Amino acid sequence: MKRALVLAGGGVAGIAWELGLLDGLACSGIDVTDADLLIGTSAGSEVGAQILSGTPLGELVERQIDPPEGDEEVAVAFDLAAFMEAMAAAAAAATGPQDYRARIGAMARASTPAPAEESRRQRIATRLPVLEWPARPLLITAVDADSGESVVFDRDAGVELVDAIAASCAVPCLWPPVTIGSRRFIDGGVRSLANADLASDCAAVLVVAPFNPASGGQAPTPSEEVAYLARRTAALLVDGGDAFMQAAGTNPLHPATREPAALSGRQRGTEVSDRVRALWDPTRA
């Protein structure tokens, strides 16, 4: 059975929640990090790289709850509601999904977010236990800021892991678009929070998405993507629900969200363990 683990976006809070969830599942006897394919978008790209680094899950979660010296997150001003309103306005004006993404890319290129690209890249690097691509398959999504084209990076793309993750995490109008070669890239979540369709040829797909909005405008929601997958293969969505929204608050990029989000994720992992086991290892269900 070819199994895929899809890790969606969710900011700093999302990273902590996803790691907590995976640890909660592991504590319940289900190791989904043994997936044949991992797909990471935005925060999920960081989580994918971390769990394939060889670092124990428990240690990764503890770094979220009690960050070691030098692992301090920068507090940034970010209004989730205002951001979603801006995305909705762009979606309403767009003629289609790629035009929508190009419009968001133009907004990102016209803004002057801080910090500069290099300092942002350095911050991404400090979060990663290993800076090289893992041997196991990991797909990282991004969007071309000029054309709106969706791009998928892997170990054979000729792009450094840190650059691929920085591109996937370049939240429009907050972090600067990431330059790779002659192109600039923004957050892969502009196409889709999860990009779960990349796993459509797998026999079982677990989609982990902290946020699951009711509508995605020109981008499919995690629920819509899993409904699409479920017509073709075995697929399950685990989202953060109200508990994650409470932990993330109005600013999922604030470092204060890390501990409550990680703990919420662990609890969620315990709650959904039976459903995940039935998908991941039907012989033990």
Side-chain angles (χ1 to χ4, degrees):
M1 176 182 288
K2 188 177 182 183
R3 300 170 299 181
L5 173 60
V6 179
L7 301 162
V12 169
I15 294 172
W17 183 85
E18 290 180 9
L19 288 170
L21 174 85
L22 298 175
D23 191 43
L25 289 171
C27 291
S28 300
I30 312 157
D31 180 13
V32 296
T33 67
D34 65 356
D36 302 290
L37 172 67
L38 277 81
I39 298 168
T41 294
S42 198
S45 69
E46 290 195 32
V47 174
Q50 289 191 36
I51 64 177
L52 292 182
S53 70
T55 307
L57 265 176
E59 182 178 329
L60 293 172
V61 176
E62 287 307 312
R63 288 186 62 167
Q64 299 296 317
I65 295 173
D66 185 18
E69 185 177 352
D71 188 32
E72 295 84 7
E73 289 288 344
V74 177
V76 294
F78 180 76
D79 187 324
L80 178 60
F83 177 79
M84 295 305 294
E85 287 179 9
M87 298 301 105
T95 58
Q98 185 161 342
D99 179 52
Y100 163 70
R101 298 192 294 267
R103 287 172 181 267
I104 300 300
M107 291 167 53
R109 288 183 287 111
S111 67
T112 54
E117 276 191 63
E118 183 54 33
S119 58
R120 174 64 177 159
R121 185 185 189 278
Q122 291 173 0
R123 178 61 203 141
I124 296 290
T126 63
R127 295 174 177 166
L128 303 178
V130 177
L131 300 183
E132 291 75 34
W133 282 91
R136 289 168 52 202
L138 170 64
L139 305 182
I140 293 177
T141 66
V143 168
D144 187 298
D146 293 301
S147 67
E149 176 190 0
S150 177
V151 178
V152 179
F153 299 114
D154 62 14
R155 64 178 291 117
D156 298 321
V159 173
E160 291 188 28
L161 177 63
V162 175
D163 291 326
I165 292 174
S168 190
C169 293
V171 179
C173 306
L174 178 68
W175 305 123
V178 171
T179 304
I180 301 176
S182 61
R183 304 171 72 182
R184 301 187 77 194
F185 297 93
I186 58 173
D187 200 307
V190 174
R191 177 183 183 264
S192 157
L193 278 174
N195 290 287
D197 61 306
L198 298 177
S200 59
D201 63 343
C202 292
V205 184
L206 174 62
V207 179
V208 174
F211 290 109
N212 185 23
S215 172
Q218 295 284 356
T221 66
S223 288
E224 290 169 342
E225 289 197 83
V226 170
Y228 165 83
L229 286 172
R231 295 196 294 268
R232 295 161 173 76
T233 189
L236 174 66
L237 169 64
V238 176
D239 61 27
D242 292 339
F244 172 75
M245 295 303 294
Q246 183 175 356
T250 60
N251 184 357
L253 300 179
H254 198 285
T257 64
R258 297 173 77 182
E259 180 176 359
L263 296 176
S264 171
R266 266 185 176 157
Q267 178 63 35
R268 185 70 166 142
T270 301
E271 293 170 353
V272 301
S273 59
D274 288 343
R275 293 163 57 202
V276 174
R277 183 178 290 108
L279 172 79
W280 214 248
D281 188 358
T283 62
R284 294 176 55 203

